[in-house]
Amino acid sequence: MKTKKALLIVDVQNDFCPGGSLAIKEGNDIVPVINELMDKVDVVITTQDWHPEGSTHFEDWPVHCVADTKGSELNPKLNKQKIDQKVLKGTRDDNPGYSAFDATNISLEDYLKEQDVGSLYVVGLATDYCVRASALDALKLGFHTYVVTDAIAAVNLKEGDGKKALQEMYKAGGILIEAKDV
Ligand code: VGL
């Protein structure tokens, strides 16, 4: 039986935080909560949206998280020392890379299996896009998947998108939990 717990920190990058090109209001507020969670797990993984310049993905979104720019860097307040594995996604034009399992620098599924991870705690940005897609894929792949509700934030292009995504993840078998209960 896979026994280890992993924290999957989705896209806590400058462009998704206040001051960034696709800023989510609460982007900075979740960082201290995430830093504390790092001590409660065995493996810490970060994902980064990592788009080529001129990506067709930018027909749907403002230009954001272009590879090797300030905007694609992790939030400076995130504790980098505890990161075991970085994952890059959205690196090619044929896939928007919403899900951490679409990463191209490694296979996240293989990595988690090698590390003996059975449970994933998903946190980060944004609830209605990359958190949602990553959690739904984790559930499909059979991981015990927790979504830490006070360590995520939504874009909410349409009002209620974040809530809808939470319901979807719950219905698919995701466990909604608060950071204090991890
Ligand atoms: C994301 C919108 C566009 C995310 C990525 O990280 O959730 N949202 N690209």
Side-chain angles (χ1 to χ4, degrees), residues 6-17 30 34 38 43-51 64-65 71-75 78-80 83-91 96-109 111-112 120-127 129-135 137-138:
L7 185 66
L8 183 63
I9 305 169
V10 177
D11 296 7
V12 181
Q13 293 167 269
N14 289 330
D15 268 344
F16 294 127
C17 294
I30 62 171
I34 293 172
M38 290 182 183
V43 182
V44 175
I45 301 150
T46 55
T47 76
Q48 280 163 280
D49 238 9
W50 202 257
H51 298 304
H64 63 278
C65 300
S72 59
E73 283 174 15
L74 294 171
N75 183 303
L78 198 67
N79 182 359
K80 312 293 186 306
I83 300 171
D84 296 298
Q85 179 66 51
K86 288 183 172 182
V87 158
L88 304 178
K89 58 190 188 55
T91 60
Y98 288 132
S99 169
F101 292 91
D102 288 336
T104 53
N105 63 325
I106 61 157
S107 158
L108 180 58
E109 182 184 4
Y111 175 78
L112 294 173
L120 267 188
Y121 292 81
V122 186
V123 300
L125 305 168
T127 311
Y129 292 94
C130 292
V131 167
R132 171 187 173 278
S134 301
D137 274 353

Side-chain angles (χ1 to χ4, degrees), residues 135-136 139 147 164-176:
L136 292 178
L139 286 160
V147 181
K164 216 171 88 190
L166 274 179
Q167 283 168 0
E168 239 182 303
M169 293 185 270
Y170 176 74
K171 275 196 192 145
I175 302 158
L176 308 186

Side-chain angles (χ1 to χ4, degrees), residues 5 11 16 39 50 72 87 89 110 114 126 138 143 152 163:
K5 296 178 181 177
D11 296 7
F16 294 127
D39 293 327
W50 202 257
S72 59
V87 158
K89 58 190 188 55
D110 290 350
E114 278 158 26
F143 294 100
I152 55 177
K163 268 199 191 134

